[in-house]
Amino acid sequence: MTGKTGLEDIFPEENDIPREFMPPTVDQTEYLVDGEIRTWNGLRQEVFSPVFVRRDGGLVPRRLGSYPLLSAGEAEAALAAAAKAYDHGRGEWPTMPVERRIACVEAFAARMKERRADVVNLLMWEIGKTHGDAGKEFDRTLEYIAATVEALKELDRASSRFVIEQGIVAQVRRAPLGIVLCMGPFNYPLNETFTTLIPALIMGNTAIFKPAKFGALLFQPLLAAFRDSFPRGVVNTLYGEGQVVVPPLMASGRIDVFAFIGSAKVANTLEKLHPKPNRLRRVLGLGAKNPAIVLDDADLDLAVKECALGALSYNGQRCTALKILFVQRQVVEPFLEKFCAAVAGLKAGMPWEAGVAITPLPERGKTAAMGELIRDAVALGARVVNPGGGEANQSVMIPAVVYPVTGRMKLFTVEQFGPLVPIVPFDDIEEPVRYLLEADVGQQASVFGRDPVALGRLIDPLVNQVCRLNINSQCQRGPDSFPFTGRKDSAEGTLSTSDALRVFSIRTLVAAKAEGGNKEILTRIVRERRSNFLTTDYIL
Ligand code: G3H
């Protein structure tokens, strides 16, 4: 809040908001259960943007609308609808030929595309993501759906033949698991919800999905598309407080797959409520503290560019963000100088402004929490080395580069999930390696250097600590055809366009001794199309 960073003028007046980016007011009363868009007359959650507006000499968060705060009763109704549609695997959806399920998903994607402008605008206003990145999130999600369809066709082609082994003839396919509860995170509320929901659906499961705590209104333009594209009860939405609507679902013991992207603490609390843990398959994307290791022979310009992007895209609110940088002591001074210059070049502003990188943070009290982490580090001997770093106005914070960070400071291990960049100098490569060995999380790491011998030596120990090692580039999830997972407390199950089809299904086979009348029976079932599972149909 000083003149130096211009933060005091960062928020607009209502009249300054460009017309094409004006937020709609969405006072949502609708929710989708059992193929019906129902109206809720009870309490609603007020939704405010992280964007504040100047009004009467003060700042107020811009109101965006409200959504239903459903009760446990509606959660039970959603569960009953999903259970009826699945009908123990005998429902229309789980037994439908794959080709028809694909047609439903494609029909949904076409309808979704029509609502791009509305969803992208809400995404920007609800979570403060830049307009460009909100558009990318939407388009990437549509691409993910198209790639999922292609991956399923490929899987189906590979499964459309019979195998004969040791005198047994069989057809092996992937079958659905049952009722899936999908919960996405606020930082990718559309994309990461759909990267579990769509594969779950297309494999024949029925689903209940609960939007994240921020980024709930953006699903409202899609409710009718869900209702019209899928059979009744296949997709159900659950709005409200997690503590109210989710425990009854888990405690019922009828959820077969828990697909959750968020914190390990919440995942563990919810899982424990399920009375039949062996029935519950978990698909989890949890915390991470991905480090970058900058070696003394690294191309520093490249390392700085990748580390700045990796640490501060969407203000550091990515599970894959670089959350701690280890820099070899010989190059730490030039690295810091270049890194601070790169951070100074990041424009802070409103998410619709061209070229903006630093935007309002959606979590209430986030800038104060970041300030606490800075204070803790400073009290233990670090300092903020970039001018203006850590200055804040309401929901906006100038990124703080904190140096030198040591193991005694919270920033060493806490996942900041915000605009703080802790930098640790090291003399011996064993120091960052040990950091990874001892960490409770293990998603990805980045290594910057040029010497193939030194890099080669690091690869073998590091790939057994994380699930993706990035050489001379930041950590990231994409391309979406690559496996995305983590070790320890970071993840359970692997997601990619093809892997997700596997995690939401189970290999199931029909087998018979290839003798007596069995061959004739199987041949007739296939030829006369008596089964949707046992078929040699080939989807092109
Ligand atoms: O928040 C975690 C996201 O899955 C990261 O995806 O690396 O493409 O930003 P990204």
Side-chain angles (χ1 to χ4, degrees):
M1 280 187 273
T2 76
K4 275 182 293 172
T5 48
L7 277 188
E8 76 275 22
D9 300 327
I10 198 153
F11 292 111
E13 286 188 13
E14 188 78 18
N15 290 337
D16 301 332
I17 302 167
R19 256 173 73 129
E20 67 269 36
F21 298 119
M22 277 301 279
T25 302
V26 182
D27 276 308
Q28 180 182 339
T29 52
E30 316 92 308
Y31 64 103
L32 175 66
V33 167
D34 200 19
E36 288 170 7
I37 295 186
R38 298 186 181 168
T39 304
W40 171 249
N41 295 316
L43 287 176
R44 294 210 301 268
Q45 173 67 51
E46 288 286 293
V47 180
F48 294 94
S49 174
V51 172
F52 283 66
V53 285
R54 277 186 276 148
R55 195 177 294 159
D56 304 328
L59 285 169
V60 287
R62 179 61 160 79
R63 184 179 182 277
L64 299 177
S66 56
Y67 61 78
L69 277 174
L70 300 179
S71 69
E74 283 69 39
E76 278 150 20
L79 179 61
K84 190 168 72 175
Y86 192 67
D87 191 16
H88 300 279
R90 299 175 304 173
E92 178 193 4
W93 185 248
T95 56
M96 189 181 272
V98 171
E99 209 163 3
R100 281 182 47 211
R101 282 209 297 264
I102 288 177
C104 292
V105 169
E106 286 181 331
F108 171 76
R111 292 276 300 273
M112 175 176 161
K113 203 170 173 181
E114 292 167 8
R115 304 305 304 267
R116 184 182 189 279
D118 302 319
V119 175
V120 168
N121 202 32
L122 278 167
L123 186 52
M124 176 184 83
W125 276 97
E126 284 192 88
I127 64 161
K129 188 169 275 193
T130 66
H131 190 260
D133 284 349
K136 278 188 207 153
E137 178 169 344
F138 187 93
D139 297 338
R140 176 181 179 179
T141 306
L142 275 180
E143 284 160 22
Y144 189 94
I145 297 175
T148 299
V149 166
E150 285 314 309
L152 179 55
K153 287 182 182 171
E154 178 66 38
L155 183 65
D156 196 72
R157 282 195 286 266
S159 328
S160 67
R161 54 189 285 270
F162 281 84
V163 286
I164 303 181
E165 276 294 331
Q166 298 176 21
I168 298 180
V169 57
Q171 190 175 35
V172 187
R173 286 189 175 277
R174 299 202 74 93
L177 291 159
I179 304 171
V180 180
L181 171 62
C182 286
M183 295 172 67
F186 81 78
N187 63 335
Y188 281 90
L190 178 74
N191 182 263
E192 292 217 315
T193 306
F194 280 18
T195 56
T196 58
L197 179 65
I198 297 295
L201 290 174
I202 211 165
M203 291 313 289
N205 303 283
T206 61
I208 303 166
F209 86 86
K210 184 191 167 298
K213 58 183 170 178
F214 311 115
L217 295 179
L218 62 91
F219 291 105
Q220 191 263 359
L222 305 178
L223 290 186
F226 274 123
R227 179 197 58 197
D228 300 343
S229 310
F230 294 95
R232 172 181 281 264
V234 170
V235 184
N236 305 278
T237 59
L238 202 52
Y239 288 89
E241 281 190 54
Q243 304 96 304
V244 175
V245 292
V246 180
L249 299 181
M250 294 302 268
S252 74
R254 292 162 77 193
I255 297 294
D256 298 290
V257 189
F258 179 45
F260 175 85
I261 320 282
S263 76
K265 194 170 152 221
V266 173
N268 293 343
T269 308
L270 292 174
E271 277 170 33
K272 285 196 191 110
L273 299 175
H274 200 294
K276 298 175 185 163
N278 298 333
R279 171 175 180 163
L280 185 70
R281 179 174 290 194
R282 290 162 309 191
V283 183
L284 307 175
L286 307 173
K289 181 89 175 174
N290 295 343
I293 303 172
V294 181
L295 301 172
D296 58 3
D297 68 338
D299 173 341
L300 284 192
D301 292 318
L302 172 76
V304 162
K305 181 170 147 263
E306 290 289 322
C307 287
L309 263 178
L312 292 169
S313 303
Y314 186 41
N315 311 289
Q317 300 167 116
R318 293 161 59 227
C319 61
T320 48
L322 286 173
K323 297 194 178 100
I324 188 160
L325 312 183
F326 288 87
V327 182
Q328 201 153 10
R329 198 173 303 273
Q330 288 89 322
V331 291
V332 77
E333 286 304 326
F335 181 89
L336 281 175
E337 193 182 319
K338 286 171 188 278
F339 191 79
C340 290
V343 173
L346 297 174
K347 181 178 162 191
M350 293 301 103
W352 56 82
E353 288 172 23
V356 79
I358 301 304
T359 53
L361 307 170
E363 289 176 285
R364 310 286 170 255
K366 184 73 180 188
T367 54
M370 296 291 98
E372 275 305 310
L373 288 173
I374 296 175
R375 266 189 293 284
D376 171 77
V378 169
L380 292 165
R383 52 188 207 285
V384 174
V385 291
N386 59 318
E391 287 181 16
N393 183 3
Q394 304 291 352
S395 54
V396 178
M397 178 180 250
I398 300 299
V401 182
V402 186
Y403 173 84
V405 165
T406 68
R408 292 165 62 220
M409 301 168 190
K410 288 186 184 152
L411 258 179
F412 195 72
T413 44
V414 165
E415 181 180 7
Q416 65 270 39
F417 213 75
L420 302 185
V421 191
I423 299 190
V424 186
F426 72 91
D427 298 297
D428 182 348
I429 190 62
E430 189 57 19
E431 296 167 48
V433 171
R434 185 142 293 281
Y435 179 82
L436 275 162
L437 260 56
E438 288 169 1
D440 285 332
V441 285
Q443 188 199 62
Q444 299 191 17
S446 293
V447 183
F448 294 89
R450 290 191 238 232
D451 175 14
V453 177
L455 289 173
R457 243 196 329 260
L458 266 179
I459 288 174
D460 294 357
L462 293 190
V463 288
N464 290 344
Q465 311 311 317
V466 294
C467 286
R468 174 165 167 168
L469 185 61
N470 303 279
I471 309 289
N472 290 322
S473 62
Q474 62 155 318
C475 297
Q476 61 183 49
R477 174 174 180 156
D480 287 327
S481 54
F482 282 7
F484 178 55
T485 185
R487 296 169 185 271
K488 302 177 187 169
D489 261 346
S490 280
E492 189 167 332
T494 300
L495 294 175
S496 74
T497 40
S498 56
D499 287 303
L501 299 177
R502 295 173 189 278
V503 298
F504 289 105
S505 61
I506 188 157
R507 286 187 4 129
T508 304
L509 57 146
V510 175
K513 285 189 180 156
E515 60 187 33
N518 284 348
K519 281 190 189 169
E520 172 62 13
I521 293 169
L522 294 181
T523 304
R524 282 193 54 191
I525 291 172
V526 170
R527 192 180 298 141
E528 295 170 17
R529 297 178 183 281
R530 302 290 175 190
S531 163
N532 288 335
F533 182 97
L534 208 68
T535 163
T536 51
D537 281 358
Y538 202 80
I539 311 175
L540 290 174

